[in-house]
């Protein structure tokens, strides 16, 4: 069915409701099909296994559903769902989702005071089994999930949950006289399109080449696979008419013409696009790395300015009062009564409350204005307030803000520290908030040219009321480079043959590896400036050296880069924050902050730059320059010297070159080798 509130063909009768299903089973006095089938950390549920992705469990795979189904979990509680306070990030997410009322909420989870406690059992992420075609490991039978038995009766062993073929007799030539129970595994082939749709592979139509079986209306299928690990190596066999067809025919460019058109399905929303989808489909494996790319944004929460506080107050008044705001906007006493115990306005004078109400009742942006904001928005805008605050000269040696959770401490520069490093701050405490606002398939978010169309939604409602976010706490070290020296160095770099080679390689990479929808985008607008390469490479060598002595692993350290030239309304930046964050105390042990001590930091920086002089892959690494037809986006950098794990790097090890740091043999462009 379809309604005005949704934009998908959706059948609400068969909605995903694990806890509701559990209650129905309890009414029947049965003891199986327990609701929880696994667990995951909030960070993995945001970056790897969010709504629309496929999560591997020990015996089968599941797909977390859209946020509409999460609402059923929250509604089981009398209290309102918790919110994560990060107005700056929330406003950006609202802009990206085109929804004025989006709030940031954590994952539905509650810690247990004791291991066997039942508190929090009503909270969890709803999911559906996907794909729903399974293959018996004993006889190769290929069938829908309804043809297999589900077993999950142990309350504390969710890893034992599995689907089984109850009457498996084994394969031909090795049949058993007595049928036995054999486990079933997911059939690993899917169909995906560039607009984020995903669908089951039509095995029955595939083996019969688009026609129904001529012998049986519901033929028995088998998936024969004897050479696992070699791509689409399986063969689909119809036991009724004996037709066979290998899956490798669906691979590559030649296979595209043999696959059906996309049906516009979003399995995480349990719906279809009402007007279908005209895209061609691509064969996709369940565990493919390009099956799901999260679209996320994150901020380091900074103390709010007066303007930000006023904007946040107006927003809280608007979302709290709803329709009553327009009715009582001229009655301040009634407004105060309605906001009592919900939004604290007791200390506001009447004229201040009147200004807040006026801001709360201001008309929203028009659709045309929203589109223009989306078109011109730059993710760097999230970093600019952080950079400006980190440059502030606060009174005393320490600045602490309880509301934001940020604590900074000044650090003196050691006389032997490289003069190019102008400012050092110990970030003793910080709070990082990360929000998910959609996802893409086949192409990563930063490799498409029309993100609004390619972004797969998280809800059936075109104007979502909330999105999921995580809140991490940690510590870090902030380093600011001297802007004058960076600017003069950057001018010199832009005239070198090395930079020209990197620019040409990026153009080739853009043409070959970016989405077809990015054809109208100028490749040079996606190329990071030389100062970004400098700061990025410097951050990586520091992460390697810090990990040796700070007590955290290199994968636990991450970078936050502030590197952009001057632009309209934006001062230039050249600095970096190396931090470690976690949802628990692991991010606040203090080992990283201790290394901001002047003597220790000087030793860390000196050792990092000294080690960057050499690589076990030299001279091949130190002289690596992309030449036509090469299109890699790094120079003198490899996993032996500079590259870091994907949890540490914000650019997937792109835009790195040791020659921008130091004068390596054959080059004289190193920033830290000047003079």
């Amino acid at each position: 069915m379809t309604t005005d509130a949704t934009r998908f063909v959706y059948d609400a009768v068969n909605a995903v409701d694990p806890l509701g299903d559990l209650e129905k089973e309890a009414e029947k006095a049965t003891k199986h099909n327990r609701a929880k089938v696994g667990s995951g950390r909030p960070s993995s549920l945001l970056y790897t296994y969010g709504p629309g992705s496929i999560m591997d469990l020990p015996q089968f795979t599941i797909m977390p559903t859209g946020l509409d189904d999460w609402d059923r979990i929250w509604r089981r509680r009398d209290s309102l769902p918790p919110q994560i306070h990060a107005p700056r990030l929330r406003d950006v997410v609202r802009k990206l989702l085109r929804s004025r009322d989006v709030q940031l909420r954590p994952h539905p989870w509650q810690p247990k005071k004791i291991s066997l406690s039942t508190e929090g059992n009503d909270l969890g992420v709803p999911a559906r089994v996907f794909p729903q075609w399974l293959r018996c490991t004993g006889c190769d039978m290929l069938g829908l999930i309804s043809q297999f038995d589900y077993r999950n009766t142990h309350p504390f062993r969710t890893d034992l949950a599995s689907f089984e073929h109850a009457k498996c007799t084994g394969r031909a030539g090795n049949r058993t006289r007595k049928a036995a129970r054999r486990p079933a595994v997911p059939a690993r082939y899917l169909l995906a399109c560039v607009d984020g749709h995903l669908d089951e592979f039509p095995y029955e139509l595939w083996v019969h080449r688009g026609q129904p079986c001529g012998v049986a209306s519901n033929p028995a299928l088998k998936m024969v696979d004897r050479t696992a690990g070699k791509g689409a190596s399986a063969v689909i066999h119809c036991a009724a008419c004996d037709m066979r067809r290998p899956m490798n025919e669906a691979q590559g460019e030649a296979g595209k013409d043999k696959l059906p058109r996309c049906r516009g399905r979003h399995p995480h929303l349990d719906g279809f696009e009402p007007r279908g989808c005209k895209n061609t489909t691509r064969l996709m494996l369940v565990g493919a790395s390009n099956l799901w790319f999260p679209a996320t944004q994150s901020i380091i929460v900074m103390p709010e300015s007066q303007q930000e506080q006023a904007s946040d107050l107006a927003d809280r008044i608007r979302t709290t009062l709803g329709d009553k705001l327009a009715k009582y906007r001229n009655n301040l006493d009634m407004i105060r009564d309605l906001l009592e115990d919900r939004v604290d306005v007791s200390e506001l004078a009447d004229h201040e409350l009147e200004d807040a109400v006026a801001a709360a009742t201001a008309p929203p942006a028009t659709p045309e204005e929203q589109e223009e904001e989306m078109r011109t928005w730059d993710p760097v805008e999230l970093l600019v307030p952080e950079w400006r605050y980190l440059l502030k000269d606060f009174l005393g040696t320490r600045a602490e803000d309880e509301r934001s959770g940020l604590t900074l401490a000044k650090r003196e520069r050691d006389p032997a520290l490289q003069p190019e490093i102008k400012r050092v701050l110990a970030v003793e405490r910080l709070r990082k908030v990360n929000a998910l606002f959609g996802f893409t398939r086949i192409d990563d978010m930063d490799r498409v040219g029309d993100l609004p169309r390619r972004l797969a939604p998280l809800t059936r409602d075109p104007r979502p009321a909330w999105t999921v976010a995580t809140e991490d706490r940690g510590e870090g070290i902030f380093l600011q480079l001297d802007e004058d020296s960076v600017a003069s160095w950057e001018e010199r770099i832009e005239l070198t043959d090395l930079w020209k080679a990197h620019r040409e390689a990026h153009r080739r990479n853009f043409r070959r590896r970016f989405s077809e929808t990015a054809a109208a985008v100028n490749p040079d607008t996606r190329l990071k400036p030389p100062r970004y390469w400098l700061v990025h490479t410097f951050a990586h060598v520091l992460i390697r050296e810090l990990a040796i002595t700070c007590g955290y692993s290199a994968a636990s350290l991450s970078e936050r880069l502030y590197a952009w030239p001057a632009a309209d309304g934006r001062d230039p930046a050249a600095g970096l924050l190396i931090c470690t964050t976690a949802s628990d105390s692991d991010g606040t042990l203090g080992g990283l902050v201790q290394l901001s001590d002047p003597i220790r930091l000087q030793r860390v920086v000196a050792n990092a730059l000294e080690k960057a002089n050499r690589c076990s892959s030299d001279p091949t690494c130190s002289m690596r320059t992309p030449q036509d037809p090469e299109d890699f986006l790094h120079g003198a950098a490899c996993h032996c010297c500079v590259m870091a794990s994907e949890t540490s790097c914000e650019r997937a090890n792109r835009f790195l070159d040791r020659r921008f740091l130091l004068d390596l043999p054959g080059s004289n462009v190193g920033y830290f080798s000047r003079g």
Side-chain angles (χ1 to χ4, degrees):
M1 69 179 189
T2 59
T3 66
D4 294 337
T6 64
R7 49 179 167 171
F8 299 104
V9 178
Y10 168 66
D11 183 9
V13 176
N14 297 315
V16 177
D17 186 11
L19 295 180
D21 295 341
L22 187 65
E23 291 173 352
K24 292 178 182 178
E25 294 293 336
E27 292 175 0
K28 299 176 184 178
T30 56
K31 296 182 179 181
H32 63 279
N33 294 335
R34 300 191 181 270
K36 292 190 177 181
V37 294
S39 62
R41 294 178 63 86
S43 57
S44 67
L45 292 173
L46 188 78
Y47 293 111
T48 310
Y49 300 122
S53 67
I54 294 181
M55 183 178 188
D56 282 313
L57 297 180
Q59 309 295 336
F60 54 92
T61 56
I62 61 171
M63 174 179 288
T65 62
L67 302 184
D68 306 278
D69 297 319
W70 297 31
D71 281 329
R72 297 189 187 92
I73 302 294
W74 289 120
R75 283 197 294 265
R76 289 176 170 271
R77 296 208 159 189
D78 296 332
S79 58
L80 293 174
Q83 295 184 13
I84 294 178
H85 184 74
R88 187 158 54 90
L89 179 61
R90 181 199 61 204
D91 292 344
V92 169
V93 171
R94 288 176 174 179
K95 183 185 302 182
L96 295 171
L97 291 177
R98 299 182 178 86
S99 179
R100 194 184 184 195
D101 298 325
V102 172
Q103 301 293 335
L104 305 181
R105 295 183 189 173
H107 289 84
W109 174 80
Q110 177 183 339
K112 297 180 181 295
K113 295 180 180 179
I114 57 176
S115 59
L116 300 181
S117 173
T118 60
E119 58 184 339
N121 281 358
D122 60 330
L123 293 179
V125 176
R128 67 185 312 135
V129 177
F130 191 85
Q132 297 203 343
W133 280 88
L134 305 178
R135 179 180 68 87
C136 174
T137 58
C139 64
D140 294 328
M141 183 187 85
L142 179 65
L144 289 170
I145 192 173
S146 57
Q147 298 174 249
F148 299 87
D149 291 347
Y150 177 57
R151 294 173 63 87
N152 182 24
T153 57
H154 199 298
F156 307 113
R157 292 292 304 275
T158 57
D159 58 299
L160 298 180
S162 65
F163 288 91
E164 296 178 342
H165 184 195
K167 298 180 179 180
C168 175
T169 57
R171 298 184 177 92
N174 189 29
R175 296 191 182 277
T176 59
R177 293 183 179 179
K178 185 177 181 180
R181 303 185 71 92
R182 299 292 178 87
V185 296
R188 63 179 182 272
Y189 302 106
L190 301 168
L191 294 178
C193 91
V194 294
D195 285 343
H197 301 128
L198 189 69
D199 211 344
E200 303 269 9
F201 191 87
Y203 295 103
E204 186 174 337
L205 291 176
W206 173 257
V207 69
H208 297 108
R209 301 185 181 274
Q211 302 298 322
C213 178
V215 177
S217 57
N218 294 303
L221 302 180
K222 290 183 178 293
M223 177 183 285
V224 182
D225 190 357
R226 298 292 183 268
T227 54
K230 295 184 179 180
S233 57
V235 175
I236 308 302
H237 173 221
C238 176
C241 64
D242 204 36
M243 289 189 69
R244 299 173 183 267
R245 193 176 188 185
M247 289 298 302
N248 57 18
E249 287 188 20
Q251 283 185 306
E253 293 297 323
K256 289 183 179 180
D257 297 334
K258 302 176 183 179
L259 295 175
R261 288 280 175 175
C262 180
R263 299 194 300 168
R265 183 186 181 191
H266 284 302
H268 67 296
L269 302 178
D270 200 22
F272 291 81
E273 296 283 354
R275 288 179 292 275
C277 178
K278 298 180 180 180
N279 292 325
T280 58
T281 55
R282 303 188 187 184
L283 185 69
M284 187 77 67
L285 296 180
V286 168
S289 59
N290 61 342
L291 181 67
W292 190 82
F293 293 105
T296 62
Q297 293 295 342
S298 63
I299 64 166
I300 304 294
V301 181
M302 298 286 166
E304 299 173 12
S305 64
Q306 291 185 351
Q307 182 180 358
E308 291 173 336
Q309 291 178 9
S311 176
D312 181 51
L313 175 61
D315 180 80
R316 285 187 290 142
I317 291 175
R318 180 180 60 81
T319 55
T320 300
L321 297 184
D323 296 336
K324 295 179 181 179
L325 179 61
K327 183 178 180 180
Y328 300 111
R329 59 172 302 176
N330 296 322
N331 189 338
L332 296 185
D333 291 335
M334 179 62 72
I335 292 288
R336 290 183 186 275
D337 291 341
L338 293 174
L339 293 176
E340 188 177 4
D341 298 329
R342 301 171 71 183
V343 178
D344 185 10
V345 294
S346 58
E347 297 183 1
L348 294 181
D350 284 350
H351 71 278
E352 293 175 327
L353 180 58
E354 187 175 358
D355 292 341
V357 171
T361 54
T366 63
E368 293 76 14
E369 292 172 340
Q370 291 179 350
E371 291 299 324
E372 180 63 18
E373 288 180 350
M374 280 282 293
R375 189 183 64 82
T376 59
W377 184 75
D378 187 345
V380 171
E381 293 180 15
L382 279 175
L383 299 172
V384 172
E386 299 174 17
W387 173 254
R388 289 174 178 169
Y389 187 83
L390 291 171
L391 295 188
K392 285 185 177 180
D393 188 16
F394 49 86
L395 297 176
T397 60
R398 199 163 176 270
E400 183 174 3
D401 184 75
E402 290 294 335
R403 183 177 176 83
S404 65
L406 184 70
T407 302
L408 304 178
K410 293 179 181 178
R411 289 291 186 265
E412 299 294 332
R413 294 181 68 263
D414 188 273
L417 184 65
Q418 279 67 14
E420 295 85 358
I421 300 176
K422 182 179 179 180
R423 177 180 172 89
V424 179
L425 289 177
V427 185
E428 297 180 354
R429 290 196 307 152
L430 62 84
R431 185 165 65 96
K432 184 180 180 184
V433 179
N434 321 278
L436 178 72
F437 61 91
F439 63 88
T440 59
R441 301 197 194 276
I442 300 177
D443 296 309
D444 199 352
M445 179 182 70
D446 65 347
R447 296 202 162 213
V448 301
D450 55 348
L451 183 62
R453 184 176 72 85
R454 295 284 304 277
L455 198 65
L458 300 177
T459 63
R460 289 181 287 273
D461 191 335
R463 296 291 184 265
W466 66 280
T467 189
V468 65
T470 60
E471 189 175 25
D472 301 328
R473 301 183 184 275
E475 57 177 300
I477 301 175
F478 170 74
L479 302 179
Q480 177 192 358
L481 302 185
D482 181 68
E483 174 57 35
D484 293 336
S485 62
V486 169
S488 62
W489 171 86
E490 191 170 38
E491 290 180 3
R492 184 164 62 95
I493 289 296
E494 290 176 342
L495 302 176
T496 62
D497 293 336
L498 175 61
W499 181 247
K500 293 177 182 177
H502 282 315
R503 187 170 60 237
E504 292 300 323
H506 180 265
R507 290 171 179 171
R508 291 190 292 269
N509 184 285
F510 193 93
R511 289 193 298 268
R512 297 171 186 172
R513 299 174 185 265
F514 277 62
S515 165
E516 296 174 359
T517 63
V521 179
N522 181 1
D524 291 346
T525 61
R526 298 290 183 94
L527 175 63
K528 294 297 181 181
R531 66 172 64 209
Y532 187 94
W533 292 61
L534 165 66
V535 173
H536 193 194
T537 309
F538 188 37
H540 276 227
V541 299
L542 283 179
I543 285 175
R544 284 175 168 251
E545 186 63 26
L546 288 167
I548 297 175
T549 53
C550 72
Y552 300 106
S553 66
S556 299
L557 302 179
S558 61
E559 62 189 7
R560 194 158 181 87
L561 308 180
Y562 307 93
W564 55 82
D568 292 340
R570 189 168 69 203
D571 296 330
L576 57 106
L577 172 66
I578 305 297
C579 61
T580 178
T581 58
S583 56
D584 50 27
S585 61
D586 290 344
T588 56
L589 298 178
L592 187 57
V593 167
Q594 289 182 358
L595 294 182
S596 64
D597 175 79
I599 297 177
R600 292 180 178 179
L601 181 63
Q602 186 277 329
R603 189 180 303 122
V604 166
V605 173
N607 290 343
L609 293 176
E610 181 181 0
K611 292 176 181 178
N613 261 313
R614 301 184 300 274
C615 174
S616 57
S617 297
D618 284 343
T620 302
C621 177
S622 64
M623 302 179 69
R624 182 183 293 112
T625 303
Q627 302 293 337
D628 194 12
E630 297 169 333
D631 62 359
F632 49 83
L633 301 181
H634 63 273
C638 68
H639 285 285
C640 298
C641 58
V642 173
M643 291 184 177
S645 66
E646 62 180 67
T647 58
S648 300
C649 180
E650 65 178 34
R651 288 290 169 183
N653 285 319
R654 301 192 295 268
F655 311 129
L656 297 167
D657 197 327
R658 284 186 293 141
R659 287 168 292 192
F660 290 163
L661 285 181
L662 303 160
D663 288 344
L664 301 183
S667 70
N668 62 345
V669 295
Y671 174 73
F672 289 103
S673 297
R674 298 181 312 119

